[in-house]
Amino acid sequence: MLKIALHWQILIAIVLACVFGYWFPDEVPYVAWMGDLFLRMLTMVVIPLVFCSIVAAMTGIRGGKKLQRLGTKTVALYFVTTLLAILTGLILVNLIRPGAGLNIIRCEEVAATALQSQTLGEALFSNLPKNPFGDLAEGRMLPIVFFAVIFGIFLARTRAEADDKNIN
C-alpha cells in the first residue's frame, strides 16, 4: 500500500475540504462535525502537552546558571519575535489598508471599552494563576505557562536537595 507523508495528507485534506465547501456549500453543515471534533481533540491534547513539556524542561535544567541563561535567551527571543510581528503587521496594514472606504458608525460603549487601558501591574497580575486547575480547565495559556515554569523550578530544586541528601 502506498504510504503518503503526513504533511501531504494534511495538504490533500485541506484542498479537498476547500473544493467540497466551494462546490457543495449546502452540505457543509452535515460534515462540519468532523472539523469540530478535530479541533476539540487538538485542544484537549495541547494544554497538557505544553504543561508537561515545560515542567520536564525546567526539571531537566537543575542548575541556576543554566536557568538564568535560558531565561535571558527566552526573553530576548520573545522581544525579537514580538518586534517582527509588530513590524510585519504595520507593513501589511499600510500596504493592504483593510477597511479603507468603509463607513463605520461607532457606538459610545464600544469606544469606551476600547479606550480602557490596564496598567502594567494589572496586566501582569491578571496572568498569575489564582487557581491553576481552573486555568487548565479554561485553557488560559499564559497562567498555565507561568505555573508550569514555577512548578518545574521548585520540582528541580527539591530533586537536587533529595539527590544531595542521598549522597551524604
Side-chain angles (χ1 to χ4, degrees):
M1 179 165 206
L2 178 65
K3 176 97 171 142
I4 301 173
L6 180 61
H7 62 278
W8 288 113
Q9 291 178 19
I10 293 170
L11 184 64
I12 290 168
I14 290 172
V15 169
L16 288 175
C18 291
V19 169
F20 183 82
Y22 182 77
W23 289 106
F24 305 106
D26 295 334
E27 280 74 22
V28 169
Y30 298 114
V31 295
W33 65 268
M34 287 187 269
D36 295 336
L37 178 66
F38 175 74
L39 288 177
R40 283 180 181 259
M41 290 172 59
L42 193 62
T43 304
M44 178 181 67
V45 170
V46 166
I47 292 171
L49 183 67
V50 167
F51 179 79
C52 292
S53 62
I54 290 173
V55 170
M58 290 293 113
T59 56
I61 291 175
R62 289 193 188 187
K65 283 287 187 195
K66 283 185 180 179
L67 185 62
Q68 183 180 5
R69 203 170 13 166
L70 179 67
T72 304
K73 286 180 183 179
T74 303
V75 169
L77 185 63
Y78 174 76
F79 282 124
V80 168
T81 55
T82 302
L83 178 67
L84 288 174
I86 290 169
L87 290 176
T88 303
L90 286 173
I91 290 169
L92 289 176
V93 161
N94 286 319
L95 287 177
I96 299 172
R97 306 187 74 52
L102 290 178
N103 186 11
I104 300 173
I105 301 171
R106 294 191 179 256
C107 297
E108 290 179 18
E109 299 169 5
V110 174
T113 54
L115 294 176
Q116 283 181 338
S117 63
Q118 280 186 321
T119 64
L120 180 61
E122 290 172 342
L124 289 175
F125 277 111
S126 68
N127 290 313
L128 291 177
K130 290 180 188 174
N131 179 0
F133 298 106
D135 292 328
L136 284 167
E138 292 174 12
R140 295 184 59 217
M141 286 305 292
L142 211 49
I144 292 169
V145 168
F146 182 80
F147 177 71
V149 168
I150 297 299
F151 185 72
I153 289 171
F154 287 130
L155 194 60
R157 290 193 59 137
T158 56
R159 182 176 172 188
E161 289 177 15
D163 288 344
D164 290 341
K165 287 182 182 179
N166 287 336
I167 292 172
N168 296 332

